[in-house]
Amino acid sequence: MTSIAPFHGFGLGLRRTHYADFLEGDVPVDFVEVISENYMVEGGKPLRILEQVRAKHPVILHGVSLSIGSAHGMDHDYLAKLKALIDRIEPLWASDHLCWTHNSAHNSHDLLPLPLTREALEVVCENIDRAQTALGRVMLFENPSSYLTFPEDEMAEWEFLSEMARRTGCYLLLDVNNVHVSAQNHGFSAQDYIAGLPLDRVRQIHLAGHTPGEIVIDTHDREVCGEVWALYAETVARTGPVATMIERDDKIPPLAELLGELDHARALAAQRIAA
């Protein structure tokens, strides 16, 4: 399988609210990202719209149901549908999450946490190998937002991700907001997390908003906060140019507001990479 070349650009998640903006105008983004499962069908209006957007912009496929942490292995029907979408859209890359979402009898439709153990690492690496072989390409995997830990944990999350990337050849989608959320919830240093990753394997960064509180919740329903912007600036100073996007999945504002946030990301990246 071939490697994934770095792609330096700034993009948005394509959401139904903004379909018309992307179809009728010239939106100043370098790529769009879509939720894979929304388009893993043989036809229909959403897929036609995605093909029209793809004619204007590179596309990233971002999945939420691959479930690489599932002990019972990969869903072969799911992989076949994902491969068909990949062949049709020819994305920059396909990504998913370090999590599990289903077992042999039930789909939670949520990104559930994994114990950070050697046994779980074996399961995850075996599943990634199977998925990448089935798709004929390497993938990106995203660090999750975290609200609990397991007493069985044997390593830090960044150590788990580092070993996972080393053993499978996969790349990383670094969600800076998720790092901040998890650091706040568990009391570790977000800077230590970033420093502990193999940053040469990072091909994309996510930025999003969260709901503060006694437990910080990754809600994607508001603008990126100052602490996350600061962490992003520190991160791109280490990674160099890397694809960056703004995620908004609820209380979605007019496109101009998201483009303003994206301009801020551009300015921060240019400033810190040049420094």
Side-chain angles (χ1 to χ4, degrees):
M1 287 177 283
T2 58
S3 61
I4 296 177
F7 179 87
H8 178 42
F10 295 83
L12 295 175
L14 178 64
R15 302 296 181 257
R16 186 185 303 272
T17 306
H18 300 136
Y19 277 172
D21 296 286
F22 278 91
L23 293 176
E24 298 168 8
D26 184 16
V27 180
V29 297
D30 300 306
F31 65 90
V32 299
E33 182 186 271
V34 301
I35 303 300
S36 304
E37 289 79 4
N38 292 341
Y39 304 91
M40 286 167 52
V41 292
E42 294 183 1
K45 184 177 180 180
L47 185 57
R48 291 197 301 274
I49 289 172
L50 178 58
E51 290 179 321
Q52 290 175 270
V53 173
R54 175 66 181 87
K56 294 183 175 184
H57 302 283
V59 169
I60 293 169
L61 299 179
H62 185 52
V64 295
S65 299
L66 183 60
S67 196
I68 61 166
S70 292
H72 72 284
M74 293 284 87
D75 181 333
H76 298 291
D77 289 340
Y78 177 94
L79 286 171
K81 291 177 182 178
L82 178 57
K83 187 175 189 309
L85 180 62
I86 288 171
D87 291 344
R88 187 167 191 163
I89 298 300
E90 297 182 343
L92 284 172
W93 51 72
S95 64
D96 210 287
H97 300 78
L98 175 63
C99 71
W100 66 282
T101 61
H102 58 79
N103 57 31
S104 59
H106 176 71
N107 192 334
S108 72
H109 301 288
D110 205 352
L111 308 177
L112 300 173
L114 290 167
L116 301 174
T117 63
R118 294 179 183 85
E119 181 181 13
L121 180 63
E122 291 291 336
V123 169
V124 165
C125 289
E126 183 175 332
N127 284 340
I128 290 177
D129 285 341
R130 289 175 176 173
Q132 292 185 149
T133 298
L135 298 176
R137 60 168 59 211
V138 290
M139 297 182 67
L140 274 63
F141 290 96
E142 178 182 343
N143 57 293
S145 51
S146 177
Y147 311 103
L148 59 82
T149 58
F150 294 87
E152 298 85 2
D153 284 352
E154 298 172 331
M155 64 192 84
E157 188 174 276
W158 56 88
E159 294 172 326
F160 192 105
L161 288 163
S162 299
E163 185 64 10
M164 178 189 84
R166 186 190 69 80
R167 289 171 58 171
T168 67
C170 74
Y171 290 85
L172 300 178
L173 194 175
L174 176 54
D175 192 311
V176 173
N177 180 64
N178 286 357
V179 173
H180 174 78
V181 167
S182 298
Q184 292 296 302
N185 287 338
H186 302 308
F188 61 75
S189 163
Q191 288 74 19
D192 287 349
Y193 189 114
I194 300 297
L197 293 173
L199 295 177
D200 61 314
R201 304 300 293 180
V202 173
R203 288 292 178 268
Q204 185 180 357
I205 288 175
H206 274 179
L207 296 168
H210 59 263
T211 301
E214 184 176 351
I215 298 177
V216 183
I217 306 296
D218 178 32
T219 48
H220 294 189
D221 64 353
R222 62 195 67 196
E223 66 278 1
V224 179
C225 73
E227 293 91 344
V228 171
W229 282 125
L231 186 60
Y232 171 66
E234 294 174 24
T235 301
V236 293
R238 290 173 173 266
T239 63
V242 63
T244 297
M245 66 159 280
I246 304 291
E247 280 190 297
R248 188 73 68 89
D249 294 311
D250 198 6
K251 300 179 183 177
I252 298 175
L255 184 62
E257 182 175 324
L258 295 178
L259 290 173
E261 284 194 280
L262 203 59
D263 284 341
H264 187 56
R266 284 191 182 97
L268 277 178
Q271 179 184 27
R272 292 308 299 265
I273 291 170

